[in-house]
Amino acid sequence: MSYEVTATRRRPQQFDDLVGQEFVAETLKNSIKSGKIAHAYLFAGPRGCGKTSTARILAKALNCQNGPTDCPCGVCSNCQEITKGSSLDVIEIDGASNNSVENIRQIKDEVLFPPSNSKYKIYIIDEVHMLSNSAFNALLKTIEEPPEYVIFIFATTELQKVPATIKSRCQQYNFRLVAIDKVKECLAQAAAELNVQADDEALFWVARESTGSMRDAYTLFDQVVAFSDGHITYEKIRDKLGLVGIDRLNTIFEACIQNQTDKVIELLDEFLQSGVSIEQLISNSADYLRSLLLIKSGVKKESLLGNAPERYSASVLNAWNSLQIERALSIFLQLYRDIRYSLSPRYELELAFSRLCWIGQYVSNMEVKKAIDAAQALLSGAASTSVSGPKTVIQAPVQTQMQNQPQSMPAQVENQSSPSSSASMVIPNGLPRLSMLDNMDDEDSPDSDSGDGGEANPFHNGGPLPPEQSVETQPKTEQSAEVKEQLTIHIPQANITEEGVVPTVIIPKSSTGYTFNPDNDDFDAGGDGWSNMDGPPEEEYYPDEADFQSRAEEAFEAENNTEQDQAPVQLNDTFTAANGRTMTIAQLRGSVMAALSVTDGFAASNLEVTGLWKVTQNQVITTVVNSYDLELINKKIPVIAKEISNVCGKQMEFKVSLQEEQIQENKVPAQIPNQVALLVDTFKGTIVAGKM
């Protein structure tokens, strides 16, 4: 007999043989026992979990000569034909290659004929999600009201691609991935059938690599048996398949926690030279870090960790906390996504392990926030929240102070004093602390400031209040009735509104209507009430409203018509660039300044003070007003010339010189601006500084 692969040889033949699908098996068995057989079934789930095998078992249970029965005999002609795939009444169709409307039309024609040798004509359509929309629509009526002897069984790995109209006409069963422990048991049974000795660690690795798929587990098992020479060990699997292994991972990660970057790079080169692929090394490292994170969280289940918890390095577990391991795991997960577009995947791998050498110094945002909160509470004198690491607890007494509360009208509020209290402060590890606070607990006694037994420390509580500010030492004197009357604030009822008290301000004025200066004590003696000038201004000095309006209009026109202090505009001056494009000098200047504002802001600001630009064949010439601007812009000439060359498309020079002042023989004196003249006239002042 020819060789038969394990996945085919160990295909389930009974409902009880299904591994990890107890819910599906019990439901189908009970429906067959009760005679409640549906006309359409939809089996959905991941690959290799038993969908097609369950469909064949259901077909044998319905068409068995002893049935319908939940336990097909497997020896009758119908059961054997279904097992071999040669039954005329059980038609298996590949949905990927028979996905057109013509194939569905053929099925619609065939269902009109009853089964030849069996009770039911069963159609098993595998990968049904591959059917076209037209094929699905053509199948709707048939699967909704088929003949009583026709049963449809659909199997798919992508349930979301099956239309809802199909799902609503079928009984849906969801298949699940098989647990690693159950896969390991099945592999051990397969090894016993082949008389192959297998270590538990090796079988566990095969089961874990199958990711819950029995077919994948059997396929990988056959591959391992082929090179194991009758004894399957983890070391043989590691060497033959190019795996890293838990021992190698412990070695390289221990070098990472010791910041031995050179050793880490050497170990990586050794692993890659031994045949380990970069993708496999990244995958094994991610699994290793995930297991460390689970152990940190208290998980000890071997099926989740992949190995016994004792096999992982204790030094790595003690060196990194959970947040640092999470950060390391995120680095490798992102690395696996990046290597497909990387210049060199090996460079990316070496960089990732180099980062692991300082991951012990990584501080998460949460830890930073805790430290800031602790520092804020420490500085404010409040009780600090506890953070990880050693802590120093000190007691800081709070100085009791009497605060005079201001009187509020109309009610009188008595003075209140804050009670004496002490706050316990926590100084986190790494925060600054004062040596003078070390013995504060001993200084909190009432006799600490008395001077007995040593000199008191006046700094921890700020020391006593000055004599003139101390409430306790101030003598209480009886105020006279005249003083009390002066301190009493009388507010008329009309000044009290819903929004508050509106004070009434009385400003004395002279007979001419001008405000008096209250600081002039000689007013009653004949003073004029003006302390900032010799006398009050002449009444005719103040212009009328029309005069103010006219002056304001003149100032506005002068401001809008002035051409001083404006940047030169060269909209009509053009030149031709190297590519034949004609552009104005203003466009050239704007493009250069825009580019420099991104790369060199100082150079862009220096160009703003330059005058008109003159563009020649290979030069740009301009001027500045003063020597200071000339000195600044000379330092940026190479940068400016480079940007001008980029815009013009050829090599250009930038030259700047000092603008020569035009001296006029009969220079007209500068005229005072209207705004300044208006201010001078209004406030009766003079110009004492400034250049016109």
Side-chain angles (χ1 to χ4, degrees):
M1 182 178 179
S2 61
Y3 172 75
E4 189 176 12
V5 296
T6 305
T8 304
R9 177 171 52 83
R10 292 186 55 84
R11 181 185 291 273
Q13 303 297 329
Q14 299 285 339
F15 285 116
D16 295 334
D17 297 338
L18 293 174
V19 181
Q21 313 301 334
E22 290 78 9
F23 167 75
V24 177
E26 290 298 327
T27 305
L28 292 177
K29 289 170 63 176
N30 292 334
S31 63
I32 294 174
K33 290 179 181 179
S34 61
K36 299 177 180 178
I37 302 172
H39 61 275
Y41 295 89
L42 177 59
F43 296 160
R47 69 185 188 279
C49 59
K51 298 184 297 296
T52 306
S53 299
T54 305
R56 292 182 179 179
I57 296 173
L58 179 58
K60 289 192 295 183
L62 295 177
N63 286 342
C64 180
Q65 293 181 357
N66 300 327
T69 176
D70 59 332
C71 296
C73 63
V75 295
C76 64
S77 59
N78 290 344
C79 291
Q80 292 181 358
E81 290 176 357
I82 295 174
T83 302
K84 297 177 182 178
S86 59
S87 177
L88 298 178
D89 297 327
V90 179
I91 302 98
E92 294 191 25
I93 301 174
D94 180 15
S97 57
N98 300 275
N99 55 3
S100 62
V101 179
E102 288 74 11
N103 301 119
I104 301 302
R105 184 180 295 114
Q106 181 180 357
I107 295 176
K108 293 176 64 178
D109 295 338
E110 291 178 356
V111 297
L112 299 177
F113 301 96
S116 58
N117 299 323
S118 305
K119 185 176 181 179
Y120 294 97
K121 177 177 283 189
I122 301 174
Y123 287 90
I124 302 175
I125 303 180
D126 202 2
E127 301 299 331
V128 70
H129 64 272
M130 298 297 292
L131 296 181
S132 62
N133 292 331
S134 300
F136 274 125
N137 294 332
L139 192 61
L140 289 178
K141 189 63 176 177
T142 304
I143 64 173
E144 183 176 10
E145 297 179 355
E148 58 182 9
Y149 50 81
V150 175
I151 294 177
F152 289 95
I153 303 176
F154 303 136
T156 178
T157 56
E158 299 184 26
L159 182 62
Q160 71 278 3
K161 293 185 178 180
V162 179
T165 53
I166 298 294
K167 296 178 184 177
S168 63
R169 291 167 168 82
C170 303
Q171 283 190 7
Q172 183 175 333
Y173 292 87
N174 294 323
F175 286 69
R176 298 172 296 181
L177 291 173
V178 185
I180 296 179
D181 295 337
K182 295 183 178 181
V183 176
K184 180 181 176 183
E185 293 177 3
C186 294
L187 293 176
Q189 295 174 5
E193 293 176 359
L194 296 176
N195 296 324
V196 174
Q197 185 179 0
D199 295 346
D200 289 341
E201 185 178 4
L203 295 180
F204 188 85
W205 180 87
V206 175
R208 190 164 176 264
E209 288 296 315
S210 65
T211 64
S213 173
M214 286 301 305
R215 184 169 59 239
D216 292 357
Y218 286 137
T219 302
L220 184 57
F221 173 79
D222 290 340
Q223 182 180 358
V224 171
V225 170
F227 60 74
S228 296
D229 295 331
H231 187 192
I232 303 175
T233 62
Y234 182 75
E235 288 72 16
K236 293 180 180 179
I237 296 176
R238 182 192 62 189
D239 297 336
K240 298 297 182 179
L241 298 182
L243 305 180
V244 184
I246 185 68
D247 297 330
R248 293 180 178 178
L249 289 175
N250 284 334
T251 303
I252 192 171
F253 277 94
E254 287 175 356
C256 289
I257 65 174
Q258 298 173 3
N259 298 332
Q260 298 178 354
T261 309
D262 53 347
K263 183 178 180 180
V264 171
I265 300 301
E266 293 177 358
L267 289 173
L268 287 178
D269 180 69
E270 178 183 344
F271 295 163
L272 297 178
Q273 292 295 333
S274 63
V276 179
S277 64
I278 294 178
E279 292 80 3
Q280 187 66 42
L281 182 55
I282 296 174
S283 177
N284 293 149
S285 301
D287 292 339
Y288 182 85
L289 292 170
R290 170 186 173 271
S291 300
L292 293 182
L293 187 60
L294 293 177
I295 295 175
K296 279 283 188 179
S297 302
V299 178
K300 304 297 183 180
K301 191 176 181 180
E302 186 175 354
S303 59
L304 290 177
L305 300 178
N307 292 279
E310 296 78 14
R311 298 204 58 186
Y312 292 91
S313 174
S315 58
V316 179
L317 287 170
N318 296 330
W320 292 343
N321 56 31
S322 298
L323 295 176
Q324 292 167 348
I325 297 176
E326 286 182 4
R327 177 63 178 172
L329 179 58
S330 65
I331 290 176
F332 279 91
L333 294 178
Q334 184 62 38
L335 175 62
Y336 193 83
R337 293 189 290 264
D338 292 343
I339 56 175
R340 69 175 66 181
Y341 305 112
S342 175
L343 173 66
S344 174
R346 177 166 181 167
Y347 297 167
E348 299 277 356
L349 180 64
E350 292 173 349
L351 178 60
F353 273 97
S354 298
R355 290 173 177 172
L356 291 186
C357 293
W358 55 262
I359 201 67
Q361 304 175 7
Y362 170 74
V363 180
S364 66
N365 296 336
M366 181 178 65
E367 293 174 322
V368 173
K369 182 180 182 301
K370 286 184 178 180
I372 293 176
D373 293 342
Q376 182 181 5
L378 176 65
L379 297 178
S380 63
S384 172
T385 57
S386 61
V387 296
S388 60
K391 300 177 291 186
T392 303
V393 181
I394 61 175
Q395 296 291 332
V398 179
Q399 179 70 21
T400 303
Q401 298 181 357
M402 300 293 294
Q403 300 179 354
N404 291 329
Q405 301 293 337
Q407 295 180 351
S408 60
M409 299 304 295
Q412 297 288 338
V413 181
E414 298 180 356
N415 295 338
Q416 298 179 357
S417 62
S418 61
S420 175
S421 62
S422 63
S424 176
M425 295 184 297
V426 180
I427 301 179
N429 186 27
L431 291 181
R433 55 191 302 274
L434 299 177
S435 59
M436 63 180 64
L437 304 179
D438 292 340
N439 300 324
M440 184 175 295
D441 294 337
D442 300 335
E443 300 173 0
D444 290 341
S445 60
D447 300 334
S448 60
D449 295 335
S450 61
D452 299 338
E455 184 180 358
N457 187 357
F459 296 103
H460 69 278
N461 57 0
L465 290 175
E468 62 273 9
Q469 297 181 3
S470 177
V471 178
E472 298 177 354
T473 59
Q474 283 185 353
K476 297 182 180 180
T477 59
E478 185 68 22
Q479 297 179 349
S480 62
E482 182 180 357
V483 174
K484 290 182 178 181
E485 179 64 22
Q486 293 178 356
L487 294 178
T488 304
I489 301 176
H490 300 280
I491 299 178
Q493 189 67 25
N495 289 30
I496 301 177
T497 63
E498 295 180 356
E499 299 179 355
V501 178
V502 180
T504 301
V505 181
I506 302 176
I507 303 176
K509 295 185 179 180
S510 64
S511 59
T512 58
Y514 300 118
T515 303
F516 290 109
N517 184 5
D519 297 334
N520 193 344
D521 298 335
D522 298 334
F523 176 74
D524 297 336
D528 55 7
W530 291 82
S531 60
N532 58 345
M533 59 182 62
D534 296 337
E538 298 294 336
E539 187 172 358
E540 61 272 9
Y541 163 77
Y542 291 95
D544 55 5
E545 185 177 356
D547 191 8
F548 273 111
Q549 183 68 21
S550 62
R551 292 192 181 189
E553 293 177 356
E554 293 176 1
F556 179 76
E557 293 178 359
E559 182 180 359
N560 291 340
N561 295 333
T562 181
E563 296 181 357
Q564 299 178 358
D565 300 333
Q566 292 184 359
V569 180
Q570 298 173 273
L571 299 178
N572 297 326
D573 299 337
T574 60
F575 71 97
T576 304
N579 57 0
R581 174 190 172 191
T582 302
M583 59 188 307
T584 63
I585 298 180
Q587 292 176 342
L588 172 63
R589 181 170 182 163
S591 301
V592 174
M593 292 181 65
L596 290 176
S597 63
V598 178
T599 58
D600 195 333
F602 290 103
S605 61
N606 292 336
L607 287 182
E608 294 180 357
V609 300
T610 58
L612 296 176
W613 286 21
K614 181 180 178 182
V615 181
T616 61
Q617 185 67 23
N618 57 355
Q619 288 182 350
V620 174
I621 304 173
T622 185
T623 59
V624 292
V625 176
N626 52 63
S627 58
Y628 177 73
D629 294 336
L630 180 63
E631 182 180 356
L632 292 179
I633 205 170
N634 281 334
K635 297 179 181 180
K636 299 294 183 178
I637 284 181
V639 180
I640 299 173
K642 180 180 178 181
E643 294 297 337
I644 294 176
S645 302
N646 293 336
V647 177
C648 296
K650 61 180 180 180
Q651 188 67 29
M652 299 288 289
E653 297 181 1
F654 182 73
K655 293 186 176 181
V656 59
S657 59
L658 190 62
Q659 180 179 354
E660 298 180 359
E661 297 183 358
Q662 298 179 357
I663 303 177
Q664 300 180 1
E665 296 180 357
N666 301 326
K667 185 176 181 181
V668 180
Q671 184 179 2
I672 298 176
N674 294 334
Q675 299 91 329
V676 179
L678 182 62
L679 292 174
V680 171
D681 293 344
T682 303
F683 295 99
K684 196 179 179 180
T686 58
I687 301 176
V688 296
K691 180 180 178 181
M692 292 307 205

